[in-house]
Amino acid sequence: MLCMNDNALHTVAARIREQAAAYCESDNVPGFVAGVYHAGEQIVVAQGTANVATGAPMLDDTGFLLGSVTKVLTTTLVLRQVDRGLLDLDTPVVKHLPDFALTAPGAADKILVRHLISHTNGIDADLFFPDAKGHDALKAYVTGLASNCGTLFEPGEQLSYSNGGMIVAGRLLEEVTGLPFHDLLARDIYGPVGMRNSSTSAEQAILRSTAIGHFLDPETMTAKPTNMFTLPDTWGPAGGTPIGTIADLLAFGRTHLAGGVSPSGTRVLSAESTALMQRVSYDTQSPNTPPMGLGWVLYPFGDTTVLAMSGASPGGVSILCVLPEHDLVFAAYGNNPGAIMLQDQILRWLLSEHLGVRIPRLVTETEQDVDLTPYMGIYRSNQLRIDVSIVDGLLEERTTYEPADESQERIFTEFTGGVTSGPPQRYVPIRPGLFAPAGYPLEVFDGYLRLLLVSYHDIRDGQACFRNGGGRLTRRV
């Protein structure tokens, strides 16, 4: 006989199955899998196809690339070493990694351990893809920073989503523990959390049911499999290689619900460190960039905070959300990038309908008489250029990838399904410094997709110094 919560989760499962079936059919997302843990009960729902080339179905226990959700696992590993006394968050990284350097002399010396995992390090390496394999991959990545990557800002002065910071954190973990990152991840996270079906390589994943990513073929308008399963080993700690299941992610989320204690009762992280990860470490005070904890992004939905991280992989996207105030964890994966829209729909439904959380409007209206001239110009970060102009009274952005070499170009284009530049995107002003992509209803931005909003910061001499899109900064040149 079902208890009240069983009935509630039965309704949740039916709702997710209905939404996933409709979305997969209409939006060329071949497969989708999601799970919810709430107050002691758990459901997992799978829909569609894991691999269109083989016809393999998406199952409840199908594995998938965690993508940037891995960043919360990496941060948990860092805090485990803090608990053990091997690391101090306020120690310069170079104390443990004396070879860590950037193109600007002395810049790396200012970066503290906490800057790596709070995305406040300023390392300009978001699209730096050195192609190295094996146990020395992270060492090769850090070595490559010195001649390839500079800084966006002084450590602690700004917030910019940082793949480079997490990868340096992974190399730091190797140095202080003496273990390769993937071995440490398996020993100190997968094992004690109970992530029994998680792995760290394609070689391991091929031994079990595993989904692959897909992109929309512009000629046939159907989903085609990705040509690249994982990013290089150099991106492991940022989300390039770890693979898991929905049940595994729910177990990890439940560990953070329970103050660092896994569902099996194993202490993974101290209560103090678990709470520290959930505490605001930096807040840009801009609607398009939620406050950042350590590892977690802290999304405000009215009075409720959602600890979240999404993860892009070649042709796929995952998400993990933890709601400490409601004892709930939500995890999902879809094997086409467009699945992020479905994940946002389900999250908002869980909040408003299942939990009764009132979600206030983030953007209620646009503003007509905003001076657009401070935002015009060229903005750059690592291998990325954004040209901002005024067209028909709106801001227009043109984004172009400018590869550093053939290897970088190959990896990036395979990761994006062959795209090196986006079509021009126009933006309507919400207020000075904050813009929404034209053509979207404003209610879209109430949820996770507030990341689609663009903001401009640090006006000097009538010009913005930084553009912020999706939490990532580019700097005016």
Side-chain angles (χ1 to χ4, degrees):
M1 181 176 179
L2 294 174
C3 68
M4 183 179 297
N5 194 56
D6 288 325
N7 280 321
L9 281 189
H10 178 77
T11 301
V12 169
R15 173 72 178 194
I16 293 175
R17 188 173 289 108
E18 177 185 355
Q19 285 187 286
Y23 200 87
C24 289
E25 182 176 345
S26 65
D27 288 271
N28 295 296
V29 176
F32 189 79
V33 59
V36 176
Y37 165 86
H38 186 206
E41 303 295 334
Q42 185 167 301
I43 56 100
V44 178
V45 174
Q47 174 70 35
T49 305
N51 183 339
V52 299
T54 65
M58 188 75 82
L59 304 173
D60 290 4
D61 63 349
T62 295
F64 52 86
L65 284 158
L66 303 184
S68 286
V69 172
T70 303
K71 290 180 172 68
V72 190
L73 279 66
T74 299
T75 302
T76 301
L77 283 173
V78 170
L79 269 296
R80 273 182 67 94
Q81 310 320 312
V82 172
D83 287 344
R84 295 172 62 195
L86 295 180
L87 280 176
D88 185 313
L89 293 179
D90 293 313
T91 296
V93 175
V94 292
K95 175 183 177 182
H96 302 283
L97 293 178
D99 294 335
F100 171 45
L102 300 167
T103 55
D109 299 348
K110 306 174 186 177
I111 297 175
L112 307 180
V113 174
R114 73 167 63 247
H115 292 144
L116 298 177
I117 54 177
S118 62
H119 301 272
T120 57
N121 51 77
I123 300 170
D124 188 10
D126 208 42
L127 296 179
F128 179 48
F129 295 101
D131 193 5
K133 299 182 183 298
H135 288 171
D136 289 331
L138 302 189
K139 187 175 182 180
Y141 180 96
V142 172
T143 299
L145 289 175
S147 55
N148 290 277
C149 299
T151 59
L152 285 167
F153 51 83
E154 289 291 306
E157 287 190 354
Q158 302 273 2
L159 173 72
S160 185
Y161 186 85
S162 178
N163 289 305
M166 283 292 171
I167 298 170
V168 173
R171 174 67 189 123
L172 175 65
L173 287 165
E174 292 184 333
E175 189 65 25
V176 299
T177 66
L179 286 176
F181 175 78
H182 285 154
D183 293 349
L184 181 65
L185 181 65
R187 189 194 74 178
D188 282 9
I189 299 293
Y190 291 172
V193 168
M195 299 173 71
R196 292 185 295 273
N197 292 311
S198 290
S199 57
T200 57
S201 70
E203 289 80 5
Q204 293 171 336
I206 202 172
L207 300 177
R208 58 182 318 282
S209 172
T210 305
I212 68 166
H214 299 77
F215 295 99
L216 187 64
D217 188 323
E219 295 183 0
T220 64
M221 296 306 291
T222 58
K224 63 176 182 179
T226 176
N227 292 322
M228 178 175 67
F229 178 52
T230 70
L231 285 169
D233 288 357
T234 52
W235 269 54
T241 50
I243 301 150
T245 64
I246 288 295
D248 289 343
L249 279 188
L250 292 177
F252 180 78
R254 290 175 61 186
T255 300
H256 280 265
L257 273 182
V261 177
S262 75
S264 67
T266 302
R267 169 67 67 183
V268 178
L269 197 62
S270 71
E272 294 77 14
S273 289
T274 306
L276 183 61
M277 287 180 62
Q278 301 176 17
R279 192 177 305 148
V280 174
S281 63
Y282 196 97
D283 188 353
T284 66
Q285 302 291 322
S286 183
N288 64 318
T289 306
M292 177 63 66
L294 297 181
W296 293 112
V297 184
L298 313 181
Y299 283 81
F301 287 86
D303 295 330
T304 295
T305 297
V306 176
L307 313 176
M309 182 59 73
S310 65
S313 53
V317 62
S318 64
I319 194 169
L320 175 64
C321 300
V322 175
L323 286 72
E325 299 152 61
H326 295 276
D327 194 24
L328 185 143
V329 182
F330 166 58
Y333 169 80
N335 56 4
N336 178 280
I340 189 67
M341 305 288 285
L342 175 58
Q343 293 165 358
D344 178 65
Q345 292 174 14
I346 294 172
L347 173 60
R348 288 199 282 170
W349 183 87
L350 285 169
L351 284 163
S352 61
E353 301 299 325
H354 180 63
L355 298 176
V357 172
R358 178 181 172 274
I359 304 176
R361 295 296 306 275
L362 189 71
V363 179
T364 56
E365 59 185 359
T366 58
E367 190 173 330
Q368 301 299 317
D369 298 323
V370 173
D371 180 10
L372 304 181
T373 56
Y375 318 114
M376 295 173 57
I378 300 172
Y379 299 80
R380 288 183 184 272
S381 60
N382 179 262
Q383 301 180 69
L384 189 69
R385 171 182 172 140
I386 302 175
D387 291 82
V388 182
S389 59
I390 300 174
V391 179
D392 296 333
L394 300 177
L395 278 190
E396 181 175 276
E397 296 187 347
R398 293 176 178 266
T399 301
T400 306
Y401 173 64
E402 299 178 329
D405 54 48
E406 291 184 2
S407 175
Q408 301 278 293
E409 182 175 19
R410 174 182 57 80
I411 294 168
F412 177 84
T413 53
E414 289 182 352
F415 177 62
T416 61
V419 176
T420 57
S421 62
Q425 175 66 60
R426 293 186 181 179
Y427 289 84
V428 297
I430 297 169
R431 63 179 190 230
L434 183 64
F435 298 83
Y440 284 79
L442 295 181
E443 59 268 21
V444 165
F445 310 117
D446 294 342
Y448 200 85
L449 296 181
R450 66 190 71 185
L451 293 177
L452 295 176
L453 301 173
V454 166
S455 59
Y456 292 83
H457 302 269
D458 197 6
I459 305 293
R460 300 181 188 179
D461 299 323
Q463 293 185 322
C465 293
F466 293 98
R467 174 195 179 272
N468 186 326
R472 290 172 163 88
L473 290 186
T474 47
R475 185 175 53 200
R476 178 188 290 276
V477 295

